[in-house]
Amino acid sequence: MKKELLWGAALSNVQAEGGYLEDGKGLNVYDTLEIQFEMGQNIQSDTSVAADHYHRYKEDIAHMKEMGFTAYRFSIVWSRIHPMGDDGRTNEAGLAYYEEMIDALLEAGIEPVVSLVHFDMPDHLRTTYNGFLDRRVIDFYADHVSVVAQRFKNKVKYWITYNEMNTAFYSPRLVAGAEKPENMSDEKFHALLTHHTQLAHAKAVLAIKKANPDAMVAGMDAYTTVYPYSCRPQDVQAARFTDNMMNNLTFDVMVNGEYPSYYLSFLANRDVMLDLENDDMKTIKKASEQLDYLAFSYYQSMVVQAPEESEDLGVFQDLLLKNEKKKLFNPYVKANAWGWQIDPLGLRIALETMYERYHKPLFIVENGIGIDDQLTENRKVYDDERIAYYQGHIQNMLDAIKIDGVDVIGYLAWAPIDFLSSHKEMRKRYGFVYIDRKDDGTGTLARIPKKSYYWYKKVIASNGEALENDIVY
Ligand code: BG6
């Protein structure tokens, strides 16, 4: 393959840093999140220590350098920079912390890729305003982004405005600091969250481009490749509907600068209006013209079945819930211990679909598998299951480039080190480096490279060509 891709991994800082009240940081929506038991575990890790990345990031960057990373995505924690979020007070210690991190990356020859909101909204904005449901929070966010973009305009080229913006409706508290008010319909809540997060994204694009017109700016989706459960036409239609609402809507608006007709009629048929004010659509349009690339995460694919009893799809999240209850799994692909379906070809399909639809360069900024890795007595982690996951996905990305002609900027695995999952579990591990820390708070926090660490190092050195698992560990 001729084109040199950017290679590396990505991390969400609230999930890894710890130090949750250090150096003037304010609490954020992840710090205050009460655990949602995903696998029936009964221990909750907390964000006071996490992976202690706050204090050990230099050691972590040294590992990234040794693996040969050319890019690394991390998030600048909003509540570290603006602890309250609404009082105009900027925490210089927070900016200085990330500046040192960026300098360490540049020094190591690693391109920083910065995410701006990744489960880190100041909790004060959630409790006082109901997060992005309130328009005032959009401007607090835009002010925050301006401060960050101005500070790092000469050091950071790649920016991501909002982590997995399309998941705001499914995880409103964590992703948008919002909760559905009692008397509000799901459709209204969806419309408000969609429009307000689009505006937040658009204002962030404009703020970053104002600070540096040469910056490369993206919006980001969590992309789940959607298949119909069968070739029954109703299943196909239900899958298309889900695909539009879950995957396409966010990028359709970001790229085209207008709402697509399927969404406008979805709302109109339910008597819901978009919360449009003054220059909203002008702002969204202007930002769409300045968007450089599209970033996305990919973990799995899903199957969708239409309801048997009627051909009316109803409200789309009901459909998803019904499917979830039925435990519909794709029989052709495997799953990890958490039931996430492992589908490497789904990544190629995702790349090809998005590239045809948007004609924008694509950046895979999260792809990985959660495993309950075990540390052996001689302090090794044999994570061949992770290597197999990456082999399949990287091969399919290369196929998308070579066979389908997709323009890919780079590949960032999830993640360089272990950290707390979005459900605050330490044992759902994703790293190339094992962190000696358990959910009960025991462990030395030592960093131990897993087998996949050495495998990925070889993959990067070969620009993705040497994928065999021939590592002697
Ligand atoms: C993505 C998020 O949704 O998935 C990450 O951007 C998250 O922050 C990752 O950690 C994996 O999900 P989970 O629930 O296994 O942590």
Side-chain angles (χ1 to χ4, degrees):
M1 192 178 55
K2 284 199 196 107
K3 184 180 169 187
E4 282 288 329
L5 299 172
L6 287 175
W7 289 98
L11 194 62
S12 150
N13 282 49
V14 283
Q15 293 167 253
E17 280 181 2
Y20 75 152
L21 284 176
E22 278 181 57
D23 301 328
K25 173 178 166 293
L27 288 175
N28 55 53
V29 296
Y30 184 73
D31 291 320
T32 60
L33 177 74
E34 290 193 11
I35 189 115
Q36 308 143 7
F37 295 106
E38 197 189 11
M39 278 273 280
Q41 80 278 28
N42 51 19
I43 293 166
Q44 169 177 14
S45 286
D46 66 47
T47 54
S48 61
V49 178
D52 200 28
H53 181 65
Y54 188 68
H55 300 108
R56 300 178 193 227
Y57 74 88
K58 287 191 178 144
E59 193 182 342
D60 296 334
I61 291 175
H63 277 124
M64 297 178 206
K65 185 178 176 189
E66 195 189 299
M67 275 189 277
F69 281 21
T70 51
Y72 167 57
R73 169 184 170 223
F74 66 98
S75 42
I76 290 188
V77 174
W78 185 351
S79 71
R80 228 180 245 296
I81 308 299
H82 291 107
M84 301 300 278
D86 65 348
D87 59 0
R89 186 170 58 87
T90 299
N91 179 30
E92 172 54 32
L95 285 170
Y97 172 70
Y98 292 109
E99 184 142 35
E100 275 178 29
M101 187 180 290
I102 291 166
D103 288 343
L105 288 167
L106 293 172
E107 173 80 27
I110 300 172
E111 182 85 54
V113 178
V114 167
S115 308
L116 283 160
V117 50
H118 194 147
F119 309 165
D120 51 18
M121 175 188 286
D123 202 47
H124 172 70
L125 298 183
R126 176 183 72 84
T127 54
T128 313
Y129 302 89
N130 205 4
F132 276 123
L133 214 60
D134 188 314
R135 290 182 76 102
R136 286 172 291 181
V137 173
I138 301 170
D139 289 320
F140 298 143
Y141 174 62
D143 292 344
H144 160 69
V145 174
S146 291
V147 168
V148 174
Q150 283 297 338
R151 176 69 166 245
F152 300 125
K153 63 185 173 193
N154 298 322
K155 298 187 176 184
V156 174
K157 178 174 167 198
Y158 288 95
W159 298 84
I160 295 170
T161 55
Y162 200 128
N163 180 70
E164 298 186 333
M165 209 172 97
N166 61 324
T167 61
F169 178 70
Y170 309 97
S171 263
R173 188 196 181 285
L174 196 57
V175 177
E179 197 181 317
K180 185 166 82 71
E182 257 178 31
N183 298 323
M184 188 178 281
S185 70
D186 283 338
E187 293 86 349
K188 182 71 193 167
F189 186 54
H190 188 275
L192 279 171
L193 277 181
T194 300
H195 186 56
H196 290 180
T197 54
Q198 281 289 347
L199 270 177
H201 153 82
K203 291 192 176 191
V205 172
L206 299 176
I208 297 164
K209 285 290 194 179
K210 187 173 172 202
N212 177 11
D214 295 330
M216 292 283 287
V217 188
M220 181 187 167
D221 243 7
Y223 198 95
T224 306
T225 303
V226 178
Y227 305 123
Y229 189 61
S230 76
C231 53
R232 186 177 157 237
Q234 288 84 350
D235 284 353
V236 177
Q237 191 197 18
R240 287 176 64 88
F241 177 64
T242 306
D243 197 24
N244 272 341
M245 298 301 277
M246 273 184 38
N247 288 323
N248 300 334
L249 176 61
T250 309
F251 282 167
D252 283 351
V253 182
M254 283 181 187
V255 172
N256 300 325
E258 58 189 32
Y259 282 92
S261 52
Y262 64 79
Y263 189 57
L264 292 175
S265 51
F266 169 84
L267 295 181
N269 291 336
R270 288 157 178 83
D271 294 323
V272 174
M273 304 278 285
L274 277 172
D275 175 38
L276 293 182
E277 277 184 21
N278 308 323
D279 290 339
D280 285 3
M281 291 316 296
K282 267 193 206 152
T283 305
I284 287 175
K285 188 77 187 169
K286 199 169 163 201
S288 74
E289 288 156 4
Q290 301 192 32
L291 199 67
D292 298 291
Y293 68 103
L294 297 173
F296 70 100
S297 63
Y298 175 82
Y299 289 91
Q300 55 182 334
S301 60
M302 68 184 286
V303 288
V304 173
Q305 188 177 52
E308 289 293 335
E309 60 278 8
S310 102
E311 294 194 358
D312 175 14
L313 295 178
V315 182
F316 68 99
Q317 77 275 11
D318 291 348
L319 181 72
L320 296 183
L321 283 177
K322 270 186 210 152
N323 276 265
E324 219 172 276
K325 275 196 199 127
K326 281 192 241 166
K327 299 225 174 305
L328 284 188
F329 283 107
N330 184 339
Y332 300 101
V333 303
K334 294 190 184 134
N336 76 352
W338 282 261
W340 291 32
Q341 300 236 284
I342 303 169
D343 179 11
L345 183 56
L347 174 61
R348 177 171 163 198
I349 295 169
L351 283 162
E352 202 266 335
T353 307
M354 276 186 274
Y355 193 58
E356 283 308 311
R357 195 172 178 112
Y358 303 116
H359 308 287
K360 291 259 182 214
L362 300 172
F363 199 164
I364 301 163
V365 296
E366 271 184 47
N367 176 232
I369 181 170
I371 300 173
D372 184 7
D373 291 310
Q374 300 301 318
L375 187 64
T376 64
E377 271 179 18
N378 59 348
R379 297 179 78 72
K380 302 252 174 164
V381 179
Y382 294 90
D383 57 343
D384 294 276
E385 192 185 350
R386 177 169 293 107
I387 295 175
Y389 179 96
Y390 282 131
Q391 281 175 318
H393 288 78
I394 292 174
Q395 184 58 57
N396 273 281
M397 170 187 69
L398 299 176
D399 288 349
I401 297 170
K402 287 184 210 161
I403 303 171
D404 306 323
V406 178
D407 183 359
V408 175
I409 294 176
Y411 178 85
L412 303 182
W414 189 255
I417 60 168
D418 293 339
F419 57 91
L420 297 175
S421 78
S422 65
H423 295 77
K424 290 186 164 173
E425 276 176 285
M426 197 69 205
R427 88 186 171 104
K428 191 179 187 188
R429 295 174 183 271
Y430 283 92
F432 292 112
V433 175
Y434 183 89
I435 303 293
D436 184 15
R437 170 106 179 152
K438 295 208 169 62
D439 281 313
D440 62 7
T442 59
T444 61
L445 290 164
R447 275 65 181 141
I448 302 155
K450 303 177 191 176
K451 187 175 176 186
S452 59
Y453 177 100
Y454 299 99
W455 174 81
Y456 195 45
K457 179 176 175 173
K458 182 189 71 152
V459 171
I460 294 176
S462 68
N463 195 28
E465 296 296 327
L467 290 175
E468 322 73 40
N469 180 0
D470 52 6
I471 298 301
V472 181
Y473 175 61

